[in-house]
Amino acid sequence: MTPPPPRRRRAGAPERSYPRRGSVRRAQMITTYGVGSMVAVDNESFIVSGIDSWNITEAPTVYEHRLARVLGVKSFRLPPASDDTSKDGVRVRRFPLWHSCPNCNALQHVRGFNSAPGKNECGDCDEELVPSRFVMACAKGHIDDFPYWKWAHRKNRGEGDTGFCGGEMRLRTNGKTASLRSILISCACGVPEVSMEGAFRRTALSDLKVFCSGRRPWLKDAPTEHCSEKPRTLQRGSSVAWQPIVKTALSIPPWSDSQASRLEPYWADLRELGTDAGAIKVYLKAAAVRENYEFSVDTVMELLRAENHEEASTEEEKGKDHAYVALRKQEYKRLIEGRPETETGHDDQFVCEPPRASQAVLDPYGVIRPMLVKRLREVRALKSFSRVDTPETRTDVHEAELSLTPTDWLPAIEVQGEGVFLRLDEQRLDDWAHSVAVAARADRIRANHERLLRARAQDPQAVPESPADARMILLHTLAHILINEWSLDGGYPAASLRERLYASESMAGILICTATSDSAGSLGGLVAQGEPDRLAASLRSALLRSQWCSADPLCVESEGSGVGGINLAACHACVLLPETSCEHNNGLLDRALLIGTPEDLSIGFFNEALLS
């Protein structure tokens, strides 16, 4: 049989020239392709450069005062959205640097292929080069090319130990299987051909005396750092090769008011003036000339008092993430208090009010005073990122920096939408949670979660307690089944809805809101799901659906599912959501705490409501 001719570029195809542009949405610059991540453009691979290299001259400024104060910046900027006329842009650098040719199988640094200017081709074959599928990274965020030479010569170390044996390396696939065993590396110096099998073992590189290089290729001119972490082999497109650390906050009064939004650019100066009403009045008159807008001194004084109060409440919280806990408590309080539409202006960013219909129909479910959040703004900021370890599996994950030089801004996006806020009767919730059977089931999840955290922590003795308790697990699972129900009944894709949990000793609520800024987040109708009659029907339907799973009895009788067994009765057929909709990466879930088990229905918080 005659082999097919080698793949070559079609004659007459236009040559590409730098700079090359890829199509990435602004939202993806926060969640998928942020600083330090690898993005594929055509057949090439690049790493996104630090924010100190971005051109943001035309990027809009986003203000969210509470979140900016916690993150230590003045403001946020929307990631640049380049087009043919825009001067904005996100810069990238080629990575990984080792490539292979699919025709001659040559494997070497990209500079060794002698490509024509503006092209990424093998100089001998005119074939497009293929970036290395494998990289090595460590938990400190460093990343580098996979050490192919050392891997190929691992059984023949000695004279060529420095990495220069003089032979040309080759990479080929024998096509027998789709496993790493079929990817073969060879060298012209005569060493036996080896496969990539075993390269992903935790100690595979450290056994070869390959140490972390301390390289940060996403930061231009960044010096290499001394690093004692053991590097790991990762696939270039692996989810753990880049994990964003995103912090979010809702815009709530008084910072959501239209006048407060106009004052944000001047707030640093106003803060320095303190409580001097005279100086503030003079400053506002000058600002009014520039803005062509009259500012109120009383509004500024109210904002100053609110900020001082928020800072004091933040200092009272304890723990590593105390500032973010304080943000949630402030939001929880505002969602309970509400903000009627009659008291807000057209530009206000927070409208929250109770439904007008009687709420007695919700009493059997223990739901008290649901709130219709008719107008909502959420800001999501990229604080940093991690590699190898994720925030869901380790609490002491290292946060890699976004820039080499300090900046007073972070990239962020804002989502305008709507939502429904639910709160459970805390007395009834406490009585249920203190049940021996309920506590024992929650303790199983808690123990599994803490075991997972200790196993992946650098210091097992310093791991904080798991947030999993009966109250948190119940609220979390309730949010999941409601999102699934509303995605069927309300017309929303499940991925366009998002949960926001308020679960602690002093909070017992969930906010389900739109999660995307595209058309799927503006369909309308989510607020209508919060009307008491419709909400009661949705609750009953969702709970009835959760009584049976197509994976039962295995699902409901599970001793542990998910990563590390941190779920019990929860699987993709009943409770799990798209990961973008869940705050805990689809962990810490158990529908048995909602409806009970066949052996013990009493552990279900809503069991009596279903029987009535």
Side-chain angles (χ1 to χ4, degrees):
M1 181 176 179
T2 304
R7 180 172 59 88
R8 302 180 68 87
R9 184 180 299 278
R10 293 175 300 175
E15 294 186 356
R16 297 171 299 180
S17 60
Y18 289 99
R20 300 174 185 168
R21 292 177 179 264
S23 177
V24 175
R25 298 193 305 273
R26 273 176 163 163
Q28 289 180 308
M29 295 302 300
I30 304 297
T31 59
T32 311
Y33 298 120
V35 173
S37 67
M38 285 167 281
V39 55
V41 179
D42 293 332
N43 291 325
E44 302 174 72
S45 176
F46 301 91
I47 192 167
V48 180
S49 297
I51 60 175
D52 48 359
S53 69
W54 291 11
N55 186 347
I56 57 169
T57 54
E58 297 179 6
T61 302
V62 176
Y63 292 104
E64 174 44 52
H65 188 78
R66 296 164 56 248
L67 185 60
R69 185 177 68 245
V70 169
L71 295 179
V73 296
K74 292 183 179 179
S75 63
F76 305 100
R77 303 296 291 268
L78 281 178
S82 295
D83 53 37
D84 293 338
T85 60
S86 174
K87 297 180 180 179
D88 289 358
V90 175
R91 283 160 176 74
V92 297
R93 306 182 69 194
R94 187 182 299 282
F95 186 85
L97 296 178
W98 275 64
H99 288 55
S100 61
C101 174
N103 185 46
C104 65
N105 297 328
L107 173 65
Q108 58 185 334
H109 194 284
V110 67
R111 288 197 299 264
F113 284 98
N114 195 27
S115 300
K119 295 184 179 181
N120 191 46
E121 299 176 346
C122 177
D124 297 329
C125 309
D126 294 334
E127 281 287 334
E128 292 184 348
L129 299 177
V130 178
S132 169
R133 283 177 52 189
F134 309 104
V135 296
M136 72 172 189
C138 79
K140 294 293 186 184
H142 303 129
I143 192 168
D144 205 348
D145 285 277
F146 181 80
Y148 284 105
W149 189 93
K150 290 188 177 182
W151 183 256
H153 295 76
R154 65 183 186 273
K155 297 179 181 178
N156 298 270
R157 308 295 292 276
E159 185 175 335
D161 201 35
T162 59
F164 300 100
C165 64
E168 296 181 356
M169 299 187 64
R170 295 282 188 270
L171 181 149
R172 69 181 183 91
T173 303
N174 60 23
K176 294 181 179 179
T177 67
S179 67
L180 295 174
R181 185 179 302 177
S182 295
I183 302 176
L184 305 174
I185 312 294
S186 62
C187 182
C189 69
V191 297
E193 190 175 50
V194 299
S195 73
M196 288 294 295
E197 186 177 21
F200 286 86
R201 286 187 296 107
R202 184 176 293 270
T203 61
L205 297 180
S206 57
D207 290 344
L208 295 179
K209 295 183 172 53
V210 174
F211 306 104
C212 178
S213 63
R215 289 193 64 225
R216 296 171 290 173
W218 68 95
L219 300 177
K220 184 179 180 181
D221 300 327
T224 57
E225 298 180 324
H226 173 72
C227 182
S228 58
E229 287 282 339
K230 294 181 179 179
R232 295 277 303 276
T233 304
L234 300 176
Q235 293 212 55
R236 176 162 47 93
S238 169
S239 61
V240 296
W242 187 82
Q243 278 283 327
I245 297 177
V246 178
K247 299 301 181 182
T248 67
L250 301 181
S251 295
I252 59 174
W255 304 102
S256 60
D257 296 347
S258 57
Q259 188 160 155
S261 301
R262 289 178 176 269
L263 283 169
E264 285 282 13
Y266 311 105
W267 189 251
D269 295 335
L270 289 169
R271 192 74 172 89
E272 293 180 358
L273 297 176
T275 58
D276 188 343
I280 291 176
K281 187 174 183 179
V282 172
Y283 183 89
L284 291 180
K285 285 185 176 180
V289 174
R290 295 192 295 269
E291 284 277 338
N292 193 24
Y293 181 86
E294 291 292 333
F295 295 103
S296 168
V297 177
D298 293 338
T299 300
V300 175
M301 300 302 290
E302 180 186 354
L303 292 173
L304 286 170
R305 288 192 295 269
E307 183 173 43
N308 292 333
H309 176 73
E310 291 174 358
E311 289 178 348
S313 63
T314 300
E315 292 176 359
E316 293 175 359
E317 298 291 339
K318 306 297 181 183
K320 177 184 176 182
D321 294 327
H322 61 91
Y324 306 112
V325 174
L327 288 184
R328 287 294 171 104
K329 288 188 175 181
Q330 294 159 14
E331 293 172 6
Y332 184 69
K333 180 181 178 182
R334 284 296 183 179
L335 287 166
I336 292 175
E337 293 176 353
R339 178 88 166 185
E341 192 167 9
T342 55
E343 298 179 7
T344 60
H346 178 72
D347 296 330
D348 287 358
Q349 299 164 338
F350 184 81
V351 176
C352 177
E353 56 189 16
R356 296 181 180 179
S358 172
Q359 302 170 24
V361 68
L362 296 172
D363 291 344
Y365 300 96
V367 175
I368 57 175
R369 202 167 185 264
M371 301 295 284
L372 310 180
V373 189
K374 297 182 176 180
R375 198 179 304 160
L376 185 69
R377 175 178 180 261
E378 181 187 20
V379 174
R380 303 173 190 167
L382 178 63
K383 180 182 181 232
S384 54
F385 66 90
S386 66
R387 302 195 198 276
V388 180
D389 296 322
T390 65
E392 290 80 17
T393 56
R394 275 183 57 170
T395 55
D396 58 343
V397 64
H398 178 80
E399 299 184 5
E401 63 274 15
L402 300 184
S403 64
L404 190 60
T405 57
T407 61
D408 60 358
W409 63 276
L410 288 173
I413 59 170
E414 56 181 350
V415 177
Q416 305 277 356
E418 58 181 355
V420 175
F421 174 70
L422 305 179
R423 188 160 55 105
L424 297 183
D425 186 333
E426 293 198 39
Q427 183 59 53
R428 177 175 168 181
L429 194 56
D430 288 339
D431 294 342
W432 166 82
H434 289 151
S435 166
V436 174
V438 170
R441 194 166 179 94
D443 286 344
R444 287 165 56 188
I445 295 180
R446 185 186 186 90
N448 289 343
H449 190 213
E450 290 182 344
R451 187 183 304 114
L452 176 67
L453 294 177
R454 285 194 299 270
R456 301 195 175 188
Q458 292 180 336
D459 183 5
Q461 304 302 321
V463 174
E465 293 184 357
S466 167
D469 59 18
R471 176 182 291 208
M472 182 268 174
I473 298 168
L474 173 71
L475 290 167
H476 190 198
T477 312
L478 176 62
H480 275 234
I481 67 168
L482 277 176
I483 288 176
N484 277 327
E485 179 67 23
W486 287 345
S487 70
L488 298 173
D489 187 49
Y492 277 94
S496 70
L497 298 179
R498 182 180 177 89
E499 67 179 6
R500 195 167 182 85
L501 301 179
Y502 301 91
S504 70
E505 294 180 355
S506 58
M507 298 188 292
I510 57 175
L511 172 66
I512 298 176
C513 55
T514 51
T516 175
S517 56
D518 64 11
S519 58
S522 58
L523 294 174
L526 180 58
V527 165
Q529 302 296 329
E531 294 292 340
D533 291 340
R534 186 182 290 270
L535 179 57
S538 295
L539 278 169
R540 186 169 186 84
S541 177
L543 292 169
L544 290 173
R545 289 179 190 274
S546 64
Q547 284 184 322
W548 177 252
C549 169
S550 60
D552 280 340
L554 296 179
C555 178
V556 75
E557 296 177 357
S558 171
E559 294 296 323
S561 62
V563 178
I566 59 176
N567 291 334
L568 288 183
C571 70
H572 285 283
C574 57
V575 172
L576 302 191
L577 292 174
E579 291 187 1
T580 54
S581 300
C582 179
E583 288 192 324
H584 292 279
N585 200 30
N586 275 328
L588 311 179
L589 296 163
D590 182 17
R591 62 187 171 91
L593 293 183
L594 299 176
I595 45 86
T597 63
E599 294 78 17
D600 188 1
L601 294 175
S602 65
I603 67 173
F605 180 81
F606 298 100
N607 178 55
E608 294 183 2
L610 291 176
L611 294 177
S612 61

